[in-house]
Amino acid sequence: MEDVLILAIETSCDDTSIALVRNGKEVLANKISSQIAIHNQTGGVIPEIASRQHCDNILYVLEEVLKTSGTKLHQIDAVAVTAGPGLVGSLLVGIEVAKTISLLMSKPLIGVHHIKGHIYANYIENDFDFPIVSLVVSGGHTEIVLQTNHYEFKRLYSTSDDAIGECYDKVARILNLEYPGGPIIDRLAKSGQFIEDIKYTYTKNESFTYSGLKSAVINYVNTAKMKDQEVNAADVAFTFQEYAIFQLLDKLVDAINLYNPNQVFLCGGVAANSRLRELVSKQNVAVFYPQMQYCTDNAVMVAAYAYFQYLKNDFSDLNLNANPNLKM
Amino acid sequence: MNLLIDCSKKFIYLGLFKDEVLIEKYIETDGKHSTYLISVINEFLLDNRVATKQLEGIYCGIGPGSFTGIRLAISVSKTMAYILQIPVYAVSSLALINCLKSNAIIIDDARSNKYYIRIKNQDSIILDDTIINKDELENYVQQYNYLVYSAIEEHKYSIEPSYLQEIAILTDVFKLTASYIKEL
C-alpha cells in the first residue's frame, strides 16, 4: 500500500497544534502552541481569548512543522482538521486554514471528530484489536465509547453536566491551585486523607455527573473559610479524586463486563491521572494509554484517525463548518 | 491582480483589483460566513478567470466588526499569502465604508450604545479607528462638518483602489492580526 502523508490541524480548545503524520503512525513533526500561561490567570479557558490566540499563532505553528520536517505542502496527500466538538470560535480558525490549504494546494480535506482523534492517539503505538472500549476523559469530555471496527463508534456513556477535567479545574481554582487542575490535584491527593465532611453521595444512573461533586467540594471549602477553619488542600484533593475516579471506574467496569473488549484505551488529558491508571490496571483486561503528549489535545491524533478516513475516501467539501456539538 | 477580503459585516465582501479597475462581490450568507468563505473565494476567482498564481497581493479587512468574521478573513488571508508567497496588507474594515480620497466621518455600530469611528480628510486620517459613545459622536459631527457614512444604514462599500493601496499597511504575514478595538 502506498504511503499516506497527512497534515493535521487541531484548534478545538486552547492549544494550537499542527502535525505531519505518515500512515496514521509515523510522526514527522508535531508542534503545539500552548495557551496555559494565559488561561492560568483566569483559572479556565475564555473562548474569545482562545480564538484570538489561535488566529495569532497558527501560521507560526504551520511554518515550524513544515520547516522542521523539511516538508513542502505539495508533498502532503490530505489536510485534516478537527471539525468538532469544541469551542466554535477556536475550531473555526483551524478549519479556515485547512480549507485554504485544501483549495490552494488541491488536496482533499478531512474533517475529523475530536473524540475519535483522542481514541486514535492510541494507534500511534498500538495496533487495534476489536472490540475496544475507550474511556475518553478530558477538560471537555467524559465518555465511554465502544468500537467493533475502525468506522463504527457507539457512545455507551457520557456526562449529563460537567466534564471531569473541567471539574478538576474548578476544584483547583477554589483551592487557589494552578490551571489545569488535574496534575496538581493528582499530586496533592497522594498525601491526603478522606474528609467525611465533604457530603456527597454517588447515585448510579445512565450518565456521568460531576456538578453534584463539584458543589459538595465548593460548599465544604466555603463553609470552612466562613468559619475561619484551615482547609487542607491535600485532603480535599484526595477526597474529590476518590469520588471523581470511582465514578469513571464504576461505568468502565460495567462496559468491560458487558462487551468483553480485547483492549481498553484511556484517552484524553485525565488519562494521565495516576489513581485512574492504578485502579484500571487492576482489571483483568489489556489496558493502553498514549504517551502524555498525545493524551492532551494534539494534532497527531487527528492525523491518526484522518488516515482511516482517507482510506475510505471520507472527505469533506470546502463548505466544512465547525460543529461544536458534532455527533460521532 | 490583488484580492481584497472582508468578513467584518453581515455580508462577505470580495474585491479583485488592478490599477483603478475593481471587481466586487457581496455575498449574503445568513450568518454562515465560515461555511462559505472559501467556496465563494474559489467561485469569485473562477468567475473572473483569475488563477491563484496570478494574485500579487492579498488585502485583508482586519476589523473592527464581527470578531469571528475578522478572524475568518485573517486566517484565510495569511494562509493564502503564506502559500502563494505574496505580500499581505492590513486594511481597516471601517475605512472600506468610504475608501475614497475625500472628507468623511465613518461610523459603525459597536453595540451597547457605542460606535466605531474613523475621521479623515483628503490628505490624512484625522482620527484613526476607535470606539466612542453617543455624546462623543455628536461632538465629532459638530466639530467636523463632514458627511457621515454609517455602516448601520449603508450596506455597501465605496472603494477606490488607489486610495485603498495608500491606506493599506504591508504586514509580515505571520504578524497579521485583528483590530478588535473593543476590549473584552
Side-chain angles (χ1 to χ4, degrees), chain A residues 48-49 51-52 55-56 59-60 62-63 66 73 92-93 96-97 99-100 103-105 318-319 321, chain B residues 34-35 38-39 42 67-68 71-72 74-76 78-80 82-84 173-175 177 180 184:
Chain A
E48 176 61 23
I49 292 179
S51 307
R52 291 181 178 193
C55 190
D56 285 344
L59 207 54
Y60 287 104
L62 176 63
E63 165 83 347
L66 296 175
L73 277 176
L92 281 176
V93 174
E96 292 308 316
V97 171
K99 291 204 284 192
T100 309
L103 173 67
L104 266 58
M105 305 309 298
L318 289 176
N319 290 344
N321 197 8
Chain B
S34 58
T35 304
I38 291 294
S39 302
N42 188 32
F67 291 170
T68 303
R71 278 192 289 273
L72 298 177
I74 290 178
S75 302
V76 170
K78 64 183 178 184
T79 308
M80 284 187 87
Y82 172 75
I83 292 174
L84 298 169
V173 66
F174 292 100
K175 292 183 179 149
T177 190
Y180 296 108
L184 278 190

Side-chain angles (χ1 to χ4, degrees), chain A:
Chain A
M1 199 156 59
E2 276 188 31
D3 282 342
V4 179
L5 182 60
I6 293 178
L7 178 81
I9 301 175
E10 149 66 42
T11 60
S12 67
C13 188
D14 59 337
D15 289 322
T16 316
S17 177
I18 302 184
L20 255 175
V21 180
R22 189 178 285 140
N23 302 334
K25 269 190 189 294
E26 197 188 327
V27 182
L28 273 60
N30 173 33
K31 297 292 166 197
I32 298 180
S33 167
S34 168
Q35 302 180 12
I36 284 183
I38 291 160
H39 298 296
N40 196 0
Q41 295 163 9
T42 45
V45 176
I46 295 181
E48 176 61 23
I49 292 179
S51 307
R52 291 181 178 193
Q53 291 295 318
H54 285 305
C55 190
D56 285 344
N57 296 339
I58 195 158
L59 207 54
Y60 287 104
V61 182
L62 176 63
E63 165 83 347
E64 224 182 310
V65 162
L66 296 175
K67 243 188 190 162
T68 55
S69 63
T71 308
K72 303 276 182 217
L73 277 176
H74 68 82
Q75 292 173 292
I76 66 170
D77 294 295
V79 55
V81 64
T82 305
L87 302 171
V88 64
S90 291
L91 288 164
L92 281 176
V93 174
I95 289 174
E96 292 308 316
V97 171
K99 291 204 284 192
T100 309
I101 294 170
S102 172
L103 173 67
L104 266 58
M105 305 309 298
S106 304
K107 301 292 181 184
L109 177 69
I110 304 174
V112 178
H113 192 286
H114 184 75
I115 300 286
K116 292 179 185 174
H118 271 305
I119 295 171
Y120 278 72
N122 289 282
Y123 185 72
I124 298 151
E125 287 182 302
N126 306 292
D127 284 323
F128 281 21
D129 184 8
F130 298 104
I132 293 169
V133 166
S134 296
L135 174 69
V136 185
V137 275
S138 69
H141 309 282
T142 314
E143 306 194 354
I144 295 178
V145 178
L146 171 71
Q147 270 182 279
T148 46
N149 60 54
H150 287 298
Y151 299 101
E152 281 168 80
F153 297 80
K154 187 180 177 196
R155 192 161 81 173
L156 303 176
Y157 303 104
S158 62
T159 177
S160 59
D161 41 60
D162 294 353
I164 183 169
E166 195 182 349
C167 200
Y168 266 90
D169 292 339
K170 283 178 180 157
V171 169
R173 198 172 170 187
I174 193 151
L175 294 172
N176 296 318
L177 303 171
E178 283 188 348
Y179 169 87
I184 190 157
I185 287 178
D186 191 19
R187 200 165 64 236
L188 275 175
K190 290 188 204 306
S191 59
Q193 291 183 339
F194 194 77
I195 304 172
E196 295 287 345
D197 283 347
I198 294 181
K199 302 287 182 204
Y200 176 71
T201 318
Y202 168 60
T203 346
K204 192 171 183 132
N205 59 32
E206 286 308 298
S207 303
F208 292 108
T209 170
Y210 281 99
S211 68
L213 175 57
K214 181 183 71 186
S215 301
V217 173
I218 291 174
N219 285 343
Y220 169 79
V221 174
N222 285 341
T223 308
K225 279 180 184 164
M226 239 159 40
K227 291 182 183 165
D228 255 341
Q229 291 166 346
E230 201 171 314
V231 175
N232 184 315
D235 291 349
V236 174
F238 176 82
T239 312
F240 162 72
Q241 177 150 295
E242 285 304 300
Y243 280 128
I245 301 297
F246 175 78
Q247 228 191 93
L248 295 182
L249 200 76
D250 186 40
K251 286 201 165 27
L252 186 60
V253 168
D254 285 354
I256 291 168
N257 290 338
L258 262 167
Y259 298 100
N260 200 19
N262 287 330
Q263 293 174 321
V264 167
F265 293 158
L266 305 183
C267 338
V270 185
N273 185 276
S274 65
R275 185 67 174 144
L276 174 65
R277 288 184 178 186
E278 180 194 337
L279 292 173
V280 176
S281 69
K282 288 178 182 161
Q283 306 303 313
N284 188 25
V285 65
V287 180
F288 301 85
Y289 36 81
Q291 287 177 34
M292 188 54 212
Q293 60 172 330
Y294 302 135
C295 280
T296 46
D297 291 348
N298 66 89
V300 172
M301 67 185 203
V302 176
Y305 192 65
Y307 170 69
F308 287 93
Q309 289 182 258
Y310 183 92
L311 296 182
K312 268 218 157 181
N313 287 324
D314 179 10
F315 301 131
S316 308
D317 65 25
L318 289 176
N319 290 344
L320 175 70
N321 197 8
N323 184 345
N325 306 309
L326 188 62
K327 297 278 178 291
M328 210 142 49

